[in-house]
Amino acid sequence: MTEQTAKIIDGKATAAALREAVAARVAALKERHGITPGLAVVLVGEDPASQVYVRNKNEQTKQAGMRSFEHRLPADTPEAALLTLVSALNADPAVNGILVQLPLPKHIDSQKVLDAIDPAKDVDGFHPMNAGRLATGGNALVPCTPLGCLILLKRELGALAGRKAIVIGRSNIVGKPMAQLLLRESCTVVLAHSKTRDLPGECRQADIVVAAVGQPELVKGDWIKPGATVIDVGINRVPGAEPGKTRLVGDADFKSCAAVAGAITPVPGGVGPMTIAVLLRNALEACCRQHGLPFEEVF
Ligand code: GUN
């Protein structure tokens, strides 16, 4: 029962391919139109995980041939100063995408800052205008992690229409936009959360399981319908086998799920690497639209 039979979905390889495809489009944009997309990343404070993300974002932005604007502000930056910076970035024509790294220090109202970003430059897709457009079928910039999950699903399964999907977790960053994206693909979607009754039973109905709750190894193999596809968004650090060591696990119990699922993303190396690759894709989309150029899906 514990033997792994599922195909492992290689998010690292898909992310590398997406980044290359974006880089090729960026090169063509430069050559044909003399345009270089620019992405601004704002980091407030010194959260170690955020510093790693921001460093990777900057490096990968440059590798894709885009301009990277990095703004590091001290943890005690007043909210008004951050809003002033966002206004300046909104007005700067060299900046096509703006990302304010979350979480922000507690004295800053995150939603107020996200609402201040020009929706056309909102490469995170967190602005209510983009959330609304995603829900109502317009041209939205879509949050990076759920869009990365969708890309992996479509490459794995082809058309998703008519499939039953469960999304576990209702955050604005992953769960809600993920449910909207699956609905847009004509899946029948259950959006489950901490108050859902009989979560294992709901899960067993699903052809697609997206786990995004932040609970280490919550989803067990006997919750999975045989052959289903499991997309694990969780990144949880838990105590390792040896004292003082830690290891990363997802929201799905990999071993038991991989014995039942048809395909599954590993942690690490599954959804994680897709996020920055999709950010670059979104920056390219934002740049094209700001210049009135058509944006064709990268892949
Ligand atoms: N912090 C962790 N993930 C994200 C993300 O996708 N976007 C932003 N802005 N902050 C994050």
Side-chain angles (χ1 to χ4, degrees):
M1 136 65 187
T2 51
E3 204 175 316
Q4 180 216 306
T5 48
K7 179 189 161 190
I8 308 298
I9 299 174
D10 188 346
K12 213 170 146 187
T14 306
L18 177 55
R19 287 199 306 270
E20 269 186 35
V22 170
R25 291 281 188 86
V26 169
L29 200 58
K30 263 185 223 179
E31 175 139 347
R32 287 188 208 141
H33 303 279
I35 296 167
T36 302
L39 173 61
V41 174
V42 181
L43 174 62
V44 185
E46 264 132 47
D47 178 64
S50 292
Q51 283 181 325
V52 175
Y53 282 137
V54 168
R55 194 172 57 234
N56 288 337
K57 278 174 196 164
N58 279 316
E59 277 171 15
Q60 294 184 26
T61 302
K62 286 184 211 149
Q63 276 167 15
M66 299 188 190
R67 294 179 72 190
S68 174
F69 305 94
E70 201 178 320
H71 295 267
R72 289 173 183 265
L73 305 177
D76 61 358
T77 299
E79 184 182 276
L82 182 56
L83 290 170
T84 302
L85 173 60
V86 168
S87 295
L89 296 172
N90 283 342
D92 185 345
V95 172
N96 304 112
I98 302 169
L99 180 145
V100 177
Q101 184 68 28
L102 301 178
L104 286 168
K106 289 201 169 47
H107 68 279
I108 296 175
D109 179 347
S110 301
Q111 196 57 53
K112 198 166 163 187
V113 175
L114 298 178
D115 290 357
I117 296 172
D118 179 348
K121 297 189 177 185
D122 170 36
V123 285
D124 258 328
F126 293 165
H127 192 286
M129 178 76 84
N130 282 313
R133 282 192 189 140
L134 174 60
T136 55
N139 258 341
L141 285 164
V142 175
C144 301
T145 299
L147 185 51
C149 294
L150 186 74
I151 291 170
L152 292 176
L153 278 169
K154 285 171 87 170
R155 284 170 80 88
E156 186 58 35
L157 298 172
L160 304 182
R163 296 182 201 250
K164 286 189 181 165
I166 187 166
V167 179
I168 310 173
R170 55 175 154 178
S171 71
N172 289 338
I173 294 180
V174 183
K176 282 184 212 160
M178 187 76 241
Q180 293 291 355
L181 283 170
L182 290 165
L183 191 58
R184 200 169 79 175
E185 297 296 327
S186 301
C187 289
T188 301
V189 183
V190 171
L191 181 46
H193 47 77
S194 54
K195 302 283 194 296
T196 297
R197 286 197 196 128
D198 188 20
L199 182 57
E202 290 289 348
C203 215
R204 265 178 226 120
Q205 311 283 316
D207 306 305
I208 294 167
V209 178
V210 180
V213 262
Q215 286 195 42
E217 301 177 314
L218 173 76
V219 177
K220 309 295 183 212
D222 64 0
W223 298 18
I224 303 297
K225 177 167 147 182
T229 304
V230 178
I231 303 291
D232 191 346
V233 183
I235 301 176
N236 310 288
R237 200 165 275 288
V238 298
E242 290 169 46
K245 293 254 166 98
T246 60
R247 66 192 175 102
L248 287 181
V249 298
D251 291 349
D253 176 35
F254 184 84
K255 205 169 170 206
S256 64
C257 289
V260 186
I264 185 168
T265 59
V267 177
V271 173
M274 291 297 290
T275 299
I276 298 180
V278 174
L279 174 69
L280 302 176
R281 176 227 168 269
N282 282 358
L284 175 67
E285 177 177 2
C287 179
C288 290
R289 296 204 193 285
Q290 281 158 43
H291 285 93
L293 295 167
F295 174 75
E296 276 163 44
E297 196 46 79
V298 181
F299 71 60

